[in-house]
Amino acid sequence: MSSISNTSSAASTAAANAALQSAAQSIISGSTGNTSMDVGTLVTALVNAKTAGQAAALTAQQTTDNTTLSAYGALSSALSALQASVANLANGTTLSTFAATASGTGLTATAGAGAVAGTYSVAVTQVASSQALSSAAFGATTQLGTGTLTVSLGGQSMNINVDSTNNTLSGIAAAINSGTGNPGVTATIVTGTDGAHLVLRAANSGAANVINVSTSNITSDTGLSSLGVTSTASTTGGQSSITSANSSSAWSQSGFAQDAEFTVGGIAASSASNSVTSAISGVTLNLATASAGTTQTLTISQDTSAESTAINNFVSLYNTVVTTMSTLTSYNSSSSSQGPLLGDSTLMTIQNSLANIVGGAVGSGTTGTTLAAIGITLKDDPADGTMVVDSTKLSTALTSSPATVAALFNPTNGIAEQLNTSITNFTQTGGLIDTRNTALNTDLKSITTQQSALADYTAQLTSQYQAQFTALDTLMATMNNNSQYLTALFGGANSAGALASANNN
């Protein structure tokens, strides 16, 4: 508050005056022979008398500038929070939000950009899955021979060199997992009652992602050649099939490579993934196993809950800006204290600009629409400046008059876009607040320079006065000693003196 700075300056001046009076009394006492002068106190008092007023004024201005900078910081934070809250209202994203609801289990959906309201019948025949193959059983430590295994998946492949250091099932599994250029095949060892099995799994689902293993350059073969397997992708929407290189050591499928097969409104579709983005524009279908064999109704509707939350959040943060500005411009007559930005032209410009936007209409003439049309009005007290939301009226507008809401928050000249543009002008580099802060920081640098110069002057003056009054104190002490000697010798008002006493004798 500015009154605090003024009080501090006045107190500093009063203290300096009191010290000066005390120093003057020290000179009088020293000159009359009562005591010697208090040089330190005298010098401090005289220096303070010359510098205290300026020092206090600089400190007071420094405090005012820093307080004002903090005030603009608080205002900028409130404005930035408001701008963040209106971003998606300004660009139309929030008012294009849709919710997706399925009537059964195993099918969920999310609606994004490009979605439109509608109802769809979704029948799922099968969900997408990835292939998993299990080899025949071997001894866990059996050495299977040496050679080369070529492992491929969906048209990509890698070669695994099998030698005496890795020709057990576990060694081969480790080589596959760490192989350079692995196309997306993971290998594990599963041990059952019949022995150890090499299990290969495809990372990606879909009919085309089948695993093939071929062998070559085999020597000392004790089972390595039987690890060859050929997988065939289904071309009719069914499951993958396999052919083992050695029928006596056959591979088996524990998981099938297949696409998701479904219809939307009777239109057949498929997907290698259970996250389907290509079937309905702007909608992602998520298929789980439970959806297979079901026909469900998928409803895409406007997400009025998300829109209501966004609009209420906008009102709340606008009110925060208003109350912040109110605090910064407050005045308390009982204590004569005031907010740091009371009467500040920059804040008044921002305040009026925001009020005009939220109180104005979007559109012109009879087509203009205000926030009041969707249940957002100013409080009854016009001096308050904050807004209130009629939840029932807003809900009705979102449900029954979405065009009105869309017009108010259109991305061209809607309420949110106007606020977004104005706040950018206020807070950007070179904007109103930045210009004011730059001036304040320049003033603070000037104050620091002045304080440094004043400190140098204070030190110089102290040194000068110290020398002068020390010399004066010495002179007065000598004069007092001489005066006392002459009085003792010649007498004074109350004594005859040593010479007079001698003559009388």
Side-chain angles (χ1 to χ4, degrees), residues 23 32 76 93 119 140 290 297 331 453 503:
T32 57
S76 294
T93 299
T119 302
T297 299
Y331 178 74
N503 290 334

Side-chain angles (χ1 to χ4, degrees), residues 30-52:
S31 64
T32 57
N34 293 327
T35 60
S36 61
M37 285 192 298
D38 185 349
V39 174
T41 300
L42 176 60
V43 169
T44 300
L46 289 174
V47 171
N48 283 346
K50 277 184 167 290
T51 62

Side-chain angles (χ1 to χ4, degrees), residues 485-503:
Y485 172 73
L486 291 173
T487 299
L489 186 61
F490 295 106
N494 300 316
S495 66
L499 288 177
S501 299
N503 290 334

Side-chain angles (χ1 to χ4, degrees), residues 132-136 197 229 242 244 250-255:
L133 302 178
S134 298
S135 73
H197 299 258
V229 59
I242 61 172
S244 300
W251 285 79
S252 62
Q253 284 193 98
S254 54

Side-chain angles (χ1 to χ4, degrees), residues 127-128 205-206 258-262 269-278:
V127 298
S205 61
Q258 63 183 32
D259 290 339
E261 301 287 339
F262 55 94
S270 64
S271 171
S273 168
N274 287 317
S275 179
V276 185
T277 59
S278 58

Side-chain angles (χ1 to χ4, degrees), residues 4 15 23 44-46 56 69 81 91 120 173 178 210 223 228-230 244-245 268 274 287 301 350 373 389 499:
I4 295 175
T44 300
L46 289 174
L69 280 171
N91 61 26
Y120 307 87
S178 62
V210 293
V229 59
T230 301
S244 300
N274 287 317
L287 308 178
S301 59
I350 295 172
V389 180
L499 288 177

Side-chain angles (χ1 to χ4, degrees), residues 178-238:
S178 62
T180 302
N182 188 311
V185 177
T186 59
T188 56
I189 303 299
V190 176
T191 302
T193 56
D194 56 345
H197 299 258
L198 177 66
V199 178
L200 303 180
R201 290 185 174 85
N204 299 321
S205 61
N209 290 312
V210 293
I211 300 171
N212 287 286
V213 180
S214 62
T215 61
S216 59
N217 305 320
I218 295 178
T219 60
S220 303
D221 184 17
T222 56
L224 187 61
S225 62
S226 67
L227 295 181
V229 59
T230 301
S231 298
T232 303
S234 172
T235 58
T236 59

Side-chain angles (χ1 to χ4, degrees), residues 21-169:
Q21 292 174 9
S22 176
Q25 185 61 47
S26 175
I27 295 176
I28 295 171
S29 297
S31 64
T32 57
N34 293 327
T35 60
S36 61
M37 285 192 298
D38 185 349
V39 174
T41 300
L42 176 60
V43 169
T44 300
L46 289 174
V47 171
N48 283 346
K50 277 184 167 290
T51 62
Q54 185 180 357
L58 290 173
T59 299
Q61 186 59 45
Q62 187 177 50
T63 299
T64 298
D65 285 353
N66 282 319
T67 300
T68 304
L69 280 171
S70 295
Y72 275 121
L75 177 59
S76 294
S77 294
L79 288 171
S80 296
L82 172 60
Q83 186 174 37
S85 78
V86 302
N88 287 335
L89 283 173
N91 61 26
T93 299
T94 297
L95 299 182
S96 300
T97 302
F98 290 86
T101 307
S103 61
T105 58
L107 170 64
T108 59
T110 54
V116 295
T119 302
Y120 307 87
S121 175
V122 180
V124 182
T125 303
Q126 65 183 29
V127 298
S129 60
S130 57
Q131 189 179 34
L133 302 178
S134 298
S135 73
F138 295 91
T141 59
T142 299
Q143 294 186 334
L144 303 178
T146 60
T148 301
L149 292 181
T150 300
V151 180
S152 63
L153 176 70
Q156 295 182 320
S157 62
M158 67 174 174
N159 291 325
I160 301 297
N161 181 44
V162 181
D163 56 29
S164 59
T165 65
N166 65 354
N167 63 353
T168 61
L169 279 189

